[in-house]
Amino acid sequence: MDTHVLLSNLTNPTLLFFVLGILATVVKSDLEIPPASIKFISLYLLFSIGFKGGQELAHSAFTPEILYSLGFGLLVAALIPLYTFFVLKRRLSVADAGAVAAAYGSVSAVTFVSAVSFLEMQQRHFSGHMVAVMALMEAPAIIVGVILMQRYEADSEESRPSLGAIVQHSFTNGSVLMVLGSLIIGLIADTKQAEGIKPFTTDIFKGFLAIFLLEMGMVTARRFAAFRHYGRFVTAFALLVPLLNGCLVAALSHLVTDSEGNRFIFAILAASASYIAVPAAMRLAAPKADPGLYLPMALGVTFPFNITVGMPLYFAIVQHF
């Protein structure tokens, strides 16, 4: 790994605000960002990423690489929960194993946003269709997780929602709907008209990301202590499995695309874990699963690892393979 890239990432202002959020919680500061503001900022970040991705697609020709990328993303999202479920089932209940597997097979939109910021810092470009790949990778992991839970849960409940309802819920989840809707709008929007909102979609992006990561730092510090009683296994899983997924996909993604930016995005999507769409779906599909387990794993361990050490590591692998 290039130590310059690692140092540059660790001194990135947006990441430093994440550290500040952790510090604020540790010292028991009364620093607080209003929930309504954070909701607006999260929607803005998804809107900006989706819209810019749609604009990129509008100005690029439709190629087989786009289809290959979509297929590769869906395959990765389906395979990760398939193998992680059986690893987790050795130590956790079926419901918890299914929920955690779904979370790690799915993707984190905030990690994706941070990865975009990292690529900009490295002056690397990624294709707009990767936004669509990110959005479509939410559902397969949820579907596989639910199927595995239904297959191995001994006391299957008659009141459990149908698989169709779970899939519909995953696509109508606010974060997925916002990024997909913005992607479509960016794709069909008139280019001259789109230039009019460029200052809003581009110029202030990193400032809003910094404030959002400040909040994520505070949330991470609060939730990290909640699952320590689960022992070292879940902590090791939350570090090693994303590392394995990210490194493998970073190395194998050359089969789909030659773009370093696209390959890096694939790696970070494979390494990330959902803590927005999947928890919302699991409330319906797996009420027995403990949110105090899969939420802190994704947000308290995997997310900080990916944005500090993971991204420079995956980027280095992409450059050398």
Side-chain angles (χ1 to χ4, degrees), residues 53-310:
Q55 284 285 288
E56 288 280 348
L57 275 176
H59 295 98
S60 60
F62 188 83
T63 62
E65 181 183 327
I66 295 177
L67 288 177
Y68 297 152
S69 296
L70 291 171
F72 185 68
L74 293 173
L75 179 65
V76 168
L79 289 179
I80 289 175
L82 193 60
Y83 91 84
T84 54
F85 174 80
F86 294 102
V87 174
L88 291 160
K89 193 165 71 73
R90 298 169 66 91
R91 296 289 190 92
L92 304 176
S93 69
V94 169
D96 283 336
V100 173
Y104 279 83
S106 189
V107 297
S108 162
V110 179
T111 310
F112 178 86
V113 171
S114 301
V116 171
S117 179
F118 177 88
L119 283 178
E120 290 178 356
M121 186 173 63
Q122 302 302 321
Q123 298 182 332
R124 293 294 197 279
H125 177 76
F126 75 97
S127 304
H129 67 263
M130 294 305 297
V131 180
V133 172
M134 184 267 290
L136 292 176
M137 284 177 70
E138 292 274 16
I142 295 173
I143 294 170
V144 172
V146 170
I147 290 174
L148 288 169
M149 282 188 286
Q150 291 179 342
R151 169 69 177 80
Y152 288 94
E153 187 72 75
D155 53 340
S156 181
E157 300 173 9
E158 295 181 1
S159 60
R160 180 175 292 158
S162 66
L163 185 60
I166 300 298
V167 175
Q168 180 184 359
H169 188 272
S170 69
F171 275 108
T172 56
N173 175 270
S175 61
V176 178
L177 188 62
M178 173 58 86
V179 77
L180 275 178
S182 300
L183 178 77
I184 294 170
I185 291 171
L187 180 62
I188 65 177
D190 179 76
T191 303
K192 291 183 178 179
Q193 297 291 339
E195 282 292 319
I197 63 170
K198 189 174 181 180
F200 182 69
T201 58
T202 304
D203 296 348
I204 62 174
F205 179 84
K206 287 187 178 180
F208 274 124
L209 177 59
I211 298 299
F212 188 78
L213 287 181
L214 173 67
E215 170 69 11
M216 288 295 97
M218 292 189 285
V219 173
T220 295
R222 287 195 294 264
R223 289 182 173 172
F224 183 73
F227 82 116
R228 281 189 292 190
H229 68 276
Y230 280 97
R232 296 177 182 176
F233 171 75
V234 293
T235 302
F237 179 94
L239 290 172
L240 297 178
V241 167
L243 178 64
L244 173 64
N245 294 337
C247 291
L248 278 176
V249 171
L252 294 174
S253 56
H254 75 278
L255 299 172
V256 178
T257 176
D258 293 326
S259 166
E260 287 187 355
N262 291 354
R263 292 181 61 196
F264 173 76
I265 293 293
F266 270 127
I268 203 66
L269 289 176
S272 68
S274 172
Y275 51 84
I276 298 176
V278 168
M282 288 303 117
R283 288 193 189 102
L284 293 175
K288 292 182 180 179
D290 183 9
L293 172 63
Y294 55 83
L295 269 174
M297 284 178 69
L299 185 55
V301 182
T302 301
F303 176 69
F305 173 79
N306 276 329
I307 66 172
T308 52
V309 178

